[in-house]
Amino acid sequence: MKLSKTSEYAIRILSYMAKENNELFSAKQLIEKLGVSDKYLRKLMTLLSKVQLINSKQGRYGGYCFSKNTKDIYISDIINAVEGMDKYLGCILGFDDCSDENPCSMHEVWVETREKLLKTFSETSLYEISQKNSLKI
Amino acid sequence: MKLSKTSEYAIRILSYMAKENNELFSAKQLIEKLGVSDKYLRKLMTLLSKVQLINSKQGRYGGYCFSKNTKDIYISDIINAVEGMDKYLGCILGFDDCSDENPCSMHEVWVETREKLLKTFSETSLYEISQKNSLKI
DNA sequence: TTAAAATACTACTTAATGGTAGTATTTGCA
DNA sequence: TGCAAATACTACCATTAAGTAGTATTTTAA
């Protein structure tokens, strides 16, 4: 499994925000803490606010905050917003029409692993990982 | 999970070869059956022969054949040859120094899924998938 | 009402992957 | 020995993801 770098950053940023649990975060603050470049982080935050995972407020005393409880934001939501989750759930050999009825030669072998993958992403919430005792941000 | 397109093709080509079980395959023959472009397939086959998954023979009556029993060629070998397997086995959040002792916040959640992934790729042989009753090539 | 401090937008640059074109080399047999 | 039929090599083009730069807009408080 390899998420896009942008997905990695999105999860890192949002899990940091979940851990800190502030009312509002400025881009400046996040950039300092997370070591992401200014423009790159801002572009990403704008995307995340467009898909309503966070809210943004422009102007003086503006910033970013969660739009809902972190218990209701799953890793799959974040991946979906940034790069689309679908590609991780398709046929491992790239056949568009691969299914139980019309399987590719790896279908049977792959199905179970794919389910595990989906389960991991769609059942892990930001809140859950924010509770972990990790030194990394 | 999303393999590179080149890995997808490599597995498709090699599993076709394993299924047919000929002595020798020409590029022309594979191109026709698999609908891959001429140059792209040839480049890929040259790579696969460089890493000794297959042997190639130039000149008249040349072509490609397996260099060993398909029971001894695993999906992970193919992925490794084409794009490297390592990236699929690192930290899901991209931390280079993520480990059990120094975990990222998703480490615990991810470890089990990653193991499953590794197991699937490193224990599934070309022979195994060539025995499946798939109509796709 | 204006200046300061924040985010948003548009457009470009760079790097990696996917894909193509043309030429060179190898091999075997008439 | 030279031609036909195969793969190998080198170099380029196209597309997508990653990252950067500069300008515009929004908001608030003095």
Side-chain angles (χ1 to χ4, degrees):
Chain A
M1 254 307 298
K2 191 72 183 79
L3 300 179
S4 73
K5 264 203 152 190
T6 308
S7 286
E8 287 177 6
Y9 280 128
I11 299 170
R12 283 159 67 165
I13 293 163
L14 294 178
S15 81
Y16 170 76
M17 286 172 61
K19 231 171 274 211
E20 290 294 305
N21 202 29
N22 294 356
E23 283 288 313
L24 204 66
F25 297 82
S26 71
K28 202 174 164 192
Q29 184 183 354
L30 295 171
I31 287 158
E32 265 176 24
K33 285 290 180 185
L34 293 153
V36 187
S37 89
D38 187 293
K39 292 300 165 71
Y40 190 54
L41 179 134
R42 286 173 192 280
K43 184 155 79 169
L44 179 48
M45 297 306 275
T46 301
L47 167 64
L48 295 175
S49 77
K50 284 228 175 88
V51 297
Q52 280 293 299
L53 287 181
I54 57 177
N55 288 323
S56 72
K57 197 183 162 196
Q58 275 182 297
R60 201 167 185 175
Y61 306 104
Y64 306 100
C65 62
F66 284 110
S67 62
K68 50 186 164 183
N69 196 299
T70 55
K71 286 181 182 169
D72 297 322
I73 299 179
Y74 295 93
I75 298 301
S76 55
D77 298 327
I78 303 172
I79 299 172
N80 226 347
V82 171
E83 54 172 328
M85 186 68 198
D86 288 11
K87 63 178 164 197
Y88 296 113
L89 303 173
C91 170
I92 190 68
L93 298 185
F95 290 106
D96 289 338
D97 62 346
C98 182
S99 65
D100 290 349
E101 289 72 36
N102 185 22
C104 75
S105 47
M106 280 193 67
H107 188 76
E108 198 180 325
V109 162
W110 180 241
V111 162
E112 204 187 328
T113 307
R114 186 172 67 182
E115 287 305 311
K116 176 84 182 168
L117 211 56
L118 176 58
K119 198 174 151 71
T120 299
F121 288 138
S122 62
E123 294 182 1
T124 304
S125 70
L126 265 188
Y127 177 77
E128 181 180 343
I129 68 175
S130 76
Q131 296 306 104
K132 303 286 180 186
N133 244 348
S134 169
L135 297 172
K136 301 186 194 304
I137 53 174
Chain B
M1 253 307 297
K2 191 71 182 81
L3 301 179
S4 73
K5 261 199 155 193
T6 308
S7 286
E8 287 177 7
Y9 279 128
I11 299 170
R12 282 159 68 165
I13 293 164
L14 294 178
S15 81
Y16 171 75
M17 286 172 61
K19 231 172 274 212
E20 289 294 305
N21 202 28
N22 294 355
E23 284 288 312
L24 203 67
F25 298 82
S26 70
K28 202 174 164 192
Q29 185 182 355
L30 295 171
I31 288 158
E32 265 175 26
K33 285 290 180 185
L34 294 153
V36 187
S37 90
D38 187 292
K39 292 299 164 70
Y40 189 53
L41 179 133
R42 287 172 191 280
K43 185 155 80 170
L44 178 49
M45 297 306 275
T46 301
L47 167 64
L48 294 175
S49 77
K50 284 228 175 88
V51 299
Q52 278 293 298
L53 287 180
I54 57 176
N55 289 324
S56 73
K57 197 182 163 198
Q58 275 182 296
R60 202 168 187 176
Y61 305 104
Y64 306 100
C65 63
F66 284 112
S67 62
K68 50 186 165 184
N69 196 300
T70 55
K71 286 181 181 168
D72 297 321
I73 299 179
Y74 295 94
I75 299 301
S76 55
D77 298 328
I78 303 171
I79 299 172
N80 226 348
V82 171
E83 54 172 327
M85 186 67 199
D86 288 12
K87 62 179 163 197
Y88 296 113
L89 304 173
C91 170
I92 190 70
L93 297 185
F95 290 106
D96 289 339
D97 62 346
C98 182
S99 66
D100 290 348
E101 289 72 37
N102 185 21
C104 75
S105 48
M106 280 193 68
H107 188 76
E108 197 181 326
V109 163
W110 180 242
V111 161
E112 204 187 327
T113 307
R114 186 173 67 182
E115 287 304 312
K116 176 86 182 164
L117 210 57
L118 176 59
K119 198 174 152 69
T120 299
F121 288 138
S122 62
E123 294 182 1
T124 304
S125 70
L126 265 187
Y127 178 78
E128 181 181 344
I129 69 175
S130 76
Q131 296 304 105
K132 302 285 180 189
N133 243 349
S134 169
L135 296 172
K136 300 186 195 304
I137 53 174

